[in-house]
Amino acid sequence: MNDSAISDHLQVQSFDHITLVVKDLEASRQFYVDFLGMDHVPRPAFSFEGHWFQIGNQQIHLILEHDESGRAGKTDPNQNTRTHHFAFQVNDAKQAYETAVSQGIPIVSPPKSRPDGATQTFVNDPDGHIIELCSVT
């Protein structure tokens, strides 16, 4: 490849946000703020309802399901760890699992070790999106 071909390639600088369509903004707020500990932040005055949550330099954007949005909820009826999901790093995935159980949050998979030594557990948000919570121990 020549130098001009390399310079024409797009280069992602960082991960910015995930957008999810949800049926119940308050139930989702409770999950992302009260369970996961994210900060609820202001969002622009869009013509549709939603919430934004901050995680370090990244955000989760929620859109309330409406006539012009996609459908709320999981995209794959197969509830396992090898389907569409996204992951958050937490201090302790085993503790996150215990907290999820105590709060009645649906569990997709209890804690298990990954081949790289990290621990992972999988839960559902109120709309059934699969979320991995992982930790280095």
Side-chain angles (χ1 to χ4, degrees), residues 20-22 27 43 53 61 67-68 72 74 78 83 85 101 109 115-116 118-119 122 126 128-129 131:
L20 301 172
V21 178
V22 302
R43 70 187 275 273
F53 306 109
H61 295 176
D67 292 344
E68 296 178 11
K74 61 187 174 192
N78 188 8
T83 189
H85 70 274
V101 169
S109 174
D116 64 359
T119 300
F122 292 77
H129 299 108
I131 299 171

Side-chain angles (χ1 to χ4, degrees), residues 116-130:
D116 64 359
T119 300
Q120 60 187 166
T121 189
F122 292 77
V123 300
N124 282 131
D125 78 355
D127 288 279
H129 299 108
I130 300 171

Side-chain angles (χ1 to χ4, degrees), residues 30-103:
Q30 289 175 9
F31 179 84
Y32 288 96
V33 173
D34 298 344
F35 173 60
L36 291 178
M38 295 180 186
D39 292 325
H40 192 192
V41 297
R43 70 187 275 273
F46 291 106
S47 62
F48 52 89
E49 292 184 65
H51 287 311
W52 283 10
F53 306 109
Q54 193 75 35
I55 320 156
N57 293 327
Q58 292 81 37
Q59 294 183 340
I60 297 288
H61 295 176
L62 302 185
I63 296 172
L64 183 64
E65 184 179 65
H66 63 285
D67 292 344
E68 296 178 11
S69 73
R71 295 181 55 111
K74 61 187 174 192
T75 59
D76 190 334
N78 188 8
Q79 288 287 298
N80 68 53
T81 62
R82 295 184 180 143
T83 189
H84 302 281
H85 70 274
F86 53 94
F88 296 121
Q89 187 169 6
V90 296
N91 289 337
D92 185 335
K94 292 176 185 172
Q95 181 60 47
Y97 168 79
E98 296 298 330
T99 301
V101 169
S102 72
Q103 292 185 15

